[in-house]
Amino acid sequence: MKLEIENLTKKFQDVAAVDGVSCTLTTGVYGLLGVNGAGKTTLMRMLCTLLKPTEGRILWDGKDIFELDGAYRRVLGYLPQDFGFYPDFTVRDYLRYISSIKGLRPVAARQRTALLLQQVGLEKAENKKMKKLSGGMKRRVGIAQAMLNDPRILILDEPTAGLDPNERIRFRNLISELAQDRLVLLSTHIVSDIEYIANEILLMKDGKICIAGTTEELTAGMPEQVWRVSVPRNEAASYTKRYKVSNIKTLHGEAQLRILSVERPADNAVLEEAVLEDVFLHYFGERAGGGEE
């Protein structure tokens, strides 16, 4: 099972939303991490055959996905940022309706719907109308509809947008359960969504994959070091102007800063172990002085 992306480019007029992306994805969870506007959704829409690339190609087990057409879509499950639904449908009726669109026979649709409602924890809400669901419950229905055809490829675009912390944790656990023997690609701008569940993380910036690796590889390869510095509160602003500061904690008149810097930012600075959020700040944060990187 292999999804190969070769020199993939998508231009809208003269602007490249995706610019020469190449990578190979196999079984496991991949986190596509980047700020809004980085090109993540455009890339995912091409992987789902909703957009055709300007250049490059996408191969599924060696065959072009656009030539495979329906045969490829039968192995694909997709949760867009906003998925459409009829508000007066119950959860069960909505899933059975999507099952019919995906070509499932009625008996298989009933069995698959019952199984997925249990898996996403919505069996007690199957008779609720879609318009009555919370944001987190709607996202779980979205996962269920993407899984109806038991896909080998599961693509999730900003799946935790708008969820509270408990729902986000529930969602991550669900993705981990669903990832066995599948290729799961999850896009997000929220570091915690993928830090512990992704086998590999792809950092996307300005339409390009700027770096990829496991959490451990990305944090170990950080060009900048991470420092903890305690300063008087009135001096904190001067540090935020000169350095990338990922966190400021105020305590007893002092400010404790977490700073990214190649050199020691202060005499009392103490080295800290880098985490994925620091990597995100390094690639997507502001430069000293406030200019965009």
Side-chain angles (χ1 to χ4, degrees), residues 155-220:
I155 294 180
L156 311 170
D157 193 3
E158 297 283 356
T160 64
L163 302 191
D164 64 36
N166 284 334
E167 285 285 3
R168 188 168 283 124
I169 291 168
R170 181 198 290 269
F171 194 90
R172 290 200 301 265
N173 292 340
L174 176 60
I175 296 306
S176 294
E177 290 175 19
L178 297 176
Q180 295 182 20
D181 302 320
R182 285 188 179 87
L183 189 167
V184 179
L185 179 62
L186 185 161
S187 89
T188 185
H189 62 279
I190 302 169
V191 173
S192 60
D193 282 353
I194 58 173
E195 187 166 14
Y196 301 109
I197 66 168
N199 303 105
E200 185 169 347
I201 296 164
L202 313 171
L203 270 70
M204 192 168 191
K205 182 177 181 180
D206 298 330
K208 298 177 181 287
I209 301 296
C210 56
I211 192 169
T214 64
T215 298
E216 294 75 16
E217 288 168 345
L218 294 178
T219 53

Side-chain angles (χ1 to χ4, degrees), residues 34-41 81 158 188-190 204 280 284:
V35 296
N36 292 329
K40 304 188 301 298
T41 294
Q81 288 188 46
E158 297 283 356
T188 185
H189 62 279
I190 302 169
M204 192 168 191
F280 186 89
F284 302 108

